[in-house]
Amino acid sequence: MPEIRVIDPLRPDPDVIRHAGGMLRSGSVVCFPTSGLYGLGAVWNDEAAVRRIYAIKGRDRSKPILILVRNRSDISDLVTEIPDAAIRLMDRFWPGRLTLVFAAASSVPEILTAGSGKIGIRLPAHRVAQALIEETGAPITGTSANVSGEAGCSSIAELAAEVRTSVDLVLDAGALAGGSGSTVVDVTTDPVRVLRWGAVSMGEFQEVVERWQGL
């Protein structure tokens, strides 16, 4: 069974965060709050740990896994270009509800891109997630903590048994807001393309796009 640590969602205990960050750096998989749902974290370039996440979720290896960053400056080492459209979307929706898909830099492991040459990136809004990435000192994966094809989990009690028993550490921040996952937008195309509707609604998104197209 995994280690479970209860953590305050607003004032994360630094000792718990240090412990979790150390586990990530040593190759562990950690379940943690990402926003409205819990996610599975591994250091972005730890291919063995990322493979474990695919196995835990039963996720098809043809489907990429997104990563979470601590700030915008982290992105430049992960992508080949940051288009103007991406900057406008980050200005409006980050941190939080939007995952942007960029052309991946050569340093990004193929296991994350699933051979697509693209990488999904999000700046999380949850304070535990922010503190965890900062402590780890590197981007981490942020895929939902569920069996592939099943609903995401807004509380630890909702975790599927195969997920709960397979991770190394659970950071229990209590009940999260729930709802859908992030909206996913591919910014490698012009115009940008929505791959999945989620926490950012169609109305919100179109309002931003119409505003910049009117400039």
Side-chain angles (χ1 to χ4, degrees):
M1 293 295 290
E3 180 183 1
I4 299 177
R5 295 285 190 99
V6 174
I7 190 164
D8 190 315
L10 300 179
R11 294 178 297 278
D13 185 330
D15 289 336
V16 175
I17 292 296
R18 276 192 291 272
H19 176 63
M23 290 188 68
L24 283 169
R25 289 191 297 273
S26 68
S28 294
V29 173
V30 175
C31 177
F32 67 104
T34 63
S35 55
L37 301 172
Y38 280 86
L40 296 179
V43 174
W44 72 286
N45 58 357
D46 186 334
E47 296 191 37
V50 175
R51 282 195 296 271
R52 281 188 59 201
I53 288 179
Y54 272 101
I56 289 168
K57 289 173 62 72
R59 186 175 178 85
D60 191 316
R61 290 282 288 271
S62 67
K63 296 181 178 179
I65 286 181
L66 69 91
I67 56 178
L68 305 176
V69 295
R70 55 191 166 176
N71 52 53
R72 289 195 193 185
S73 62
D74 283 348
I75 300 174
S76 59
D77 293 330
L78 302 168
V79 307
T80 62
E81 179 187 11
I82 303 176
D84 288 343
I87 294 171
R88 294 189 179 103
L89 290 169
M90 288 188 285
D91 287 343
R92 174 63 179 83
F93 295 112
W94 276 16
R97 303 172 290 155
L98 189 71
T99 296
L100 299 178
V101 176
F102 297 88
S106 59
S107 59
V108 177
E110 188 172 337
I111 191 172
L112 287 176
T113 69
S116 68
K118 298 180 181 182
I119 184 68
I121 300 177
R122 186 166 77 250
L123 181 68
H126 200 286
R127 293 184 183 180
V128 172
Q130 292 173 344
L132 183 58
I133 301 165
E134 184 67 35
E135 172 62 31
T136 304
I140 64 175
T141 61
T143 185
S144 55
N146 62 336
V147 173
S148 189
E150 297 185 0
C153 301
S154 60
S155 70
I156 297 305
E158 295 174 351
L159 287 176
E162 51 264 64
V163 174
R164 180 196 297 266
T165 58
S166 298
V167 301
D168 302 302
L169 173 66
V170 174
L171 296 182
D172 186 351
L176 306 180
S180 55
S182 63
T183 293
V184 181
V185 178
D186 187 338
V187 296
T188 69
T189 63
D190 185 13
V192 299
R193 184 163 62 99
V194 178
L195 303 180
R196 182 186 76 189
W197 290 109
V200 173
S201 70
M202 184 182 299
E204 289 177 290
F205 180 78
Q206 289 179 336
E207 179 184 349
V208 173
V209 172
E210 290 170 0
R211 186 180 303 139
W212 88 55
Q213 288 177 340
L215 294 178

